[in-house]
Amino acid sequence: MIRFTNDENVAYTRYLYNYIEVRQSLFICLLNQNIEESLYWAYELYYSGYKLQTCEFILDTYLLLYKEDNMNYENKLIADAREIESDLQFFKEKF
């Protein structure tokens, strides 16, 4: 028999994907160098309201896996994350 749980801690994206599974899918696509699918999962996170978390996840993945071979991108990723964080703080203060 299938058991359904009533877990209140489960987060969903705009298209009702499980948040954790979307992050896992993004990570796997990045590992497999599948650009189109990576963009899909990154957009799914970003446009579901997880803007800062998406940038932090991509930055963490970059630092963990890609920094050694691609040193040029670190400053750009950090700047993008800071800009998004600044935008989010602005809207929180306004509303």
Side-chain angles (χ1 to χ4, degrees), residues 26-40:
L26 174 57
F27 186 73
I28 290 168
C29 290
L30 289 170
L31 287 177
N32 291 331
Q33 299 177 358
N34 187 331
I35 296 169
E36 294 296 320
E37 285 188 36
S38 296
L39 286 172
Y40 177 83

Side-chain angles (χ1 to χ4, degrees), residues 3-80:
R3 278 197 134 167
F4 295 100
T5 61
N6 189 10
D7 189 355
E8 296 175 7
N9 296 325
V10 176
Y12 295 99
T13 63
R14 64 186 175 156
Y15 292 131
L16 300 178
Y17 293 111
N18 182 298
Y19 171 77
I20 299 297
E21 292 174 0
V22 172
R23 285 176 50 118
Q24 292 169 343
S25 296
L26 174 57
F27 186 73
I28 290 168
C29 290
L30 289 170
L31 287 177
N32 291 331
Q33 299 177 358
N34 187 331
I35 296 169
E36 294 296 320
E37 285 188 36
S38 296
L39 286 172
Y40 177 83
W41 293 119
Y43 287 154
E44 180 63 19
L45 286 174
Y46 187 86
Y47 289 112
S48 294
Y50 302 106
K51 294 179 179 185
L52 187 57
Q53 295 91 331
T54 304
C55 290
E56 289 173 346
F57 180 76
I58 291 171
L59 180 60
D60 289 344
T61 304
Y62 165 79
L63 294 172
L64 180 68
L65 301 174
Y66 300 109
K67 180 181 177 181
E68 199 170 296
D69 295 328
N70 302 289
M71 306 271 299
N72 318 3
Y73 297 110
E74 184 173 4
N75 291 335
K76 173 73 172 134
L77 291 170
I78 291 171
D80 288 348

